[in-house]
């Protein structure tokens, strides 16, 4: 779009650019095109653009991908976009504060990419809502004031390095790809802007994200203080310092991401933080009538496809959303896909309900004495030759899960899961898909 076209849209809509809404509109088509190019668009992609404004970036996306979702806070600009794209079924305009946008509805739309020339004032909150783990994006291209982009990508020793750098870099690879001068915006802002490409990281060891964030807040809360004075009470500070290879007087900003992950691991007191499962665990092997016939190791049972026993638990909150867990990438089967709230094998000699109560506690930190049986599945390749008893519980409260087993958890409305399962069954563990079908049949009766 040219500057003339942008001014025309603003005149027609009666929009006087608002500083509070960060309304500095891009007026240079070549810059807009170059920014969009960094999204590496594919025909199958869905793109979510936050703050499309007059559509300077949008016009380089529409028609090139499967679907475009535009989230615009300014009612007049949202209405103008709605009118402009009224005849396109592949463009959806959402008039909403992007900070409040419910990201969960995007999971069934994958592969999905994020685009935003973000408003300066609420850019941080918008990024937090869209780009925190778990999110559905395979790539994000964002433009913000240069100073903020510099903080996202900064390394230790740099003045811009801090809490924001570590938070973002713990989930994303950040690459600054463009600097954009003030003159290509209307109105002209007082600062330079930069563009960063974010791609999800899969190169880090498992760590407890909630604990990582808590420790960062402590460490950077009083930046000039020595770290050991800010950390929780814990034995072993000296050996930790030795492992990190830093002096005892170290401060938060002197440590890199890998060292912060070591600190997080040190303070993580979850009993299952180390290894997700052992091939040497012993389970009961059962016959076609679910009668115990022998015992064998987990590794043998899975390798030989022997019948054995497991439970799945569906945990619901008061709104009847279902909690799903994102399985750790370290799991020996179905790594990195979504699964039931809790699931696990029966220990040898254990009964189904006892196992469900135990797994709820071990995997989610939920203490329940009873669980309600929903139904049972017979062994098949989809269940991994497991007899599965499915249970349901209601729970509202804190959750705590071992990072070695679970990357993240999220409550999802049932309608979203239904759509997601239909569109992208490969996003789920096959055992969950079987349980979901069983749950659908039993709740319909
Ligand atoms: N994408 C357009 C461009 O590049 O010219 C406009 C970018 S302008 C920097 C920021 C846009 O975000 C404006 O259209 C503004 O109305 C919108 N906006 C501001 N706050 C918002 C929020 N909380 N949620 C969604 N959009 C917002």
């Amino acid at each position: 779009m040219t500057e003339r076209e942008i001014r025309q849209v603003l005149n027609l809509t009666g929009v006087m650019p608002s500083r509070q809404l960060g309304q500095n509109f891009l007026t240079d088509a070549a810059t807009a095109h170059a920014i969009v190019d960094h999204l590496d668009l594919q025909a199958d992609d869905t793109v979510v653009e936050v703050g499309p404004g007059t559509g300077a970036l949008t016009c380089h996306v529409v028609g090139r991908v499967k679907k475009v979702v535009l989230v615009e806070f300014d009612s007049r600009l949202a209405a103008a976009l709605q009118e402009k794209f009224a005849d396109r079924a592949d463009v959806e305009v959402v008039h909403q504060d992007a900070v409040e946008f419910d990201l969960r509805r995007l999971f069934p739309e994958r592969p999905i990419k994020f685009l935003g020339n973000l408003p300066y004032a609420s850019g941080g909150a918008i990024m937090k809502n869209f780009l925190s783990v778990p999110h559905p994006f395979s790539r994000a291209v964002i433009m913000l004031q240069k100073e903020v982009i510099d903080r996202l990508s900064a390394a230790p020793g740099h003045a811009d390095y801090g809490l924001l750098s570590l938070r973002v870099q713990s989930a994303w690879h950040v690459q600054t790809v463009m600097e954009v001068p003030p003159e290509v915006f209307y109105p002209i802002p007082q600062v330079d802007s930069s563009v960063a490409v974010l791609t999800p990281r899969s190169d880090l060891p498992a760590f407890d994200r909630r604990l990582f964030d808590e420790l960062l807040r402590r460490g950077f809360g009083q930046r000039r203080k020595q770290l050991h004075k800010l950390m929780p009470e814990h034995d072993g500070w000296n050996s930790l310092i030795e492992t990190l290879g830093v002096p005892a007087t170290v401060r938060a900003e002197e440590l890199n991401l890998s060292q912060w992950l070591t600190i997080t691991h040190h303070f993580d007191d979850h009993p299952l933080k180390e290894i997700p499962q052992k091939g040497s665990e012993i389970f009961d092997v059962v016959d076609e009538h679910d009668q115990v016939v022998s015992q064998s190791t987990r590794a043998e049972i899975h390798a030989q496809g022997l019948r054995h026993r497991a439970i799945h638990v569906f945990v619901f909150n008061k709104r009847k959303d279902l909690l799903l867990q994102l399985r750790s990438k370290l799991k020996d089967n179905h790594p990195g896909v979504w699964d039931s709230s809790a699931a696990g094998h029966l220990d040898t000699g254990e009964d189904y309900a006892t196992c469900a109560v135990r797994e709820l506690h071990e995997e989610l930190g939920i203490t329940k004495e009873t669980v309600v049986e929903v139904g049972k599945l017979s062994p098949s390749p989809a269940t991994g030759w497991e007899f599965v008893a499915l249970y349901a519980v209601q729970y509202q409260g804190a959750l705590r899960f071992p990072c070695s087993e679970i990357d993240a958890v999220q409550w999802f409305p049932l309608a979203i899961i239904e759509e997601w399962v239909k569109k992208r069954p490969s996003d789920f563990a096959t055992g969950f898909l079987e349980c979901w079908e069983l749950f659908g049949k039993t709740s319909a009766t």
Side-chain angles (χ1 to χ4, degrees), residues 6 18 20-27 32 35 49-58 71-74 77 94 96-99 116-120 122 126 143 185:
I6 283 161
S18 144
Q20 201 189 349
L21 286 182
Q23 290 182 328
N24 301 97
F25 301 101
L26 205 50
T27 55
I35 293 170
E49 186 190 351
V50 167
T54 52
L57 296 174
T58 323
V71 187
E72 173 57 57
F73 194 28
D74 187 313
L77 291 173
V94 181
Q96 196 183 14
D97 179 351
V99 177
N117 172 11
L118 297 178
Y120 292 168
S122 47
I126 291 172
M143 172 146 72
F185 296 93

Side-chain angles (χ1 to χ4, degrees), residues 46-245:
T46 292
V47 172
V48 177
E49 186 190 351
V50 167
T54 52
L57 296 174
T58 323
C59 66
H60 297 278
V61 180
V62 171
R64 293 176 63 191
V65 293
K66 190 176 69 186
K67 187 174 175 189
V68 184
V69 181
L70 305 171
V71 187
E72 173 57 57
F73 194 28
D74 187 313
S75 57
R76 294 156 303 177
L77 291 173
L81 289 163
Q82 218 130 29
E83 201 181 313
K84 181 172 178 179
F85 295 117
D87 59 346
R88 292 204 72 116
D90 57 346
V91 180
E92 179 189 349
V93 180
V94 181
H95 168 221
Q96 196 183 14
D97 179 351
V99 177
E100 312 267 298
F101 185 89
D102 186 351
L103 196 64
R104 299 174 302 174
R105 53 165 285 209
L106 298 178
F107 280 79
E109 310 290 346
R110 294 165 70 201
I112 184 158
K113 292 173 177 166
F114 179 91
L115 174 65
N117 172 11
L118 297 178
Y120 292 168
S122 47
I126 291 172
M127 280 178 54
K128 185 160 186 247
N129 184 31
F130 280 83
L131 304 180
S132 301
V133 174
H135 60 76
F137 300 106
S138 59
R139 194 176 184 88
V141 174
I142 54 172
M143 172 146 72
L144 269 166
Q145 58 270 55
K146 179 177 178 312
E147 171 217 335
V148 176
I149 297 288
D150 285 348
R151 282 164 62 201
L152 300 187
S153 58
H158 199 282
D160 296 317
Y161 180 70
L163 185 61
L164 184 64
S165 327
L166 282 159
R167 271 192 182 142
V168 172
Q169 290 170 30
S170 67
W172 300 91
H173 291 287
V174 183
Q175 196 192 355
T176 305
V177 289
M178 280 171 76
E179 291 198 2
V180 184
E183 298 75 43
V184 297
F185 296 93
Y186 171 77
I188 294 176
Q190 283 164 347
V191 293
D192 287 337
S193 301
S194 291
V195 179
V197 173
L198 275 59
T199 44
R201 288 190 90 126
S202 55
D203 58 335
L204 297 176
F207 64 99
D208 183 325
R209 289 186 183 275
R210 187 201 51 77
L211 178 61
F212 173 74
D213 211 62
E214 184 199 319
L215 296 173
L216 285 184
R217 271 187 280 118
R218 280 173 176 261
F220 284 90
Q222 298 175 66
R223 229 180 143 110
R224 300 309 307 158
K225 245 188 177 174
Q226 293 177 11
L227 194 59
H228 70 95
K229 295 183 182 153
L230 301 168
M231 290 291 104
E233 290 283 315
H234 200 276
D235 292 338
W237 181 254
N238 288 341
S239 73
L240 176 60
I241 286 296
E242 214 166 284
T243 311
L244 295 173

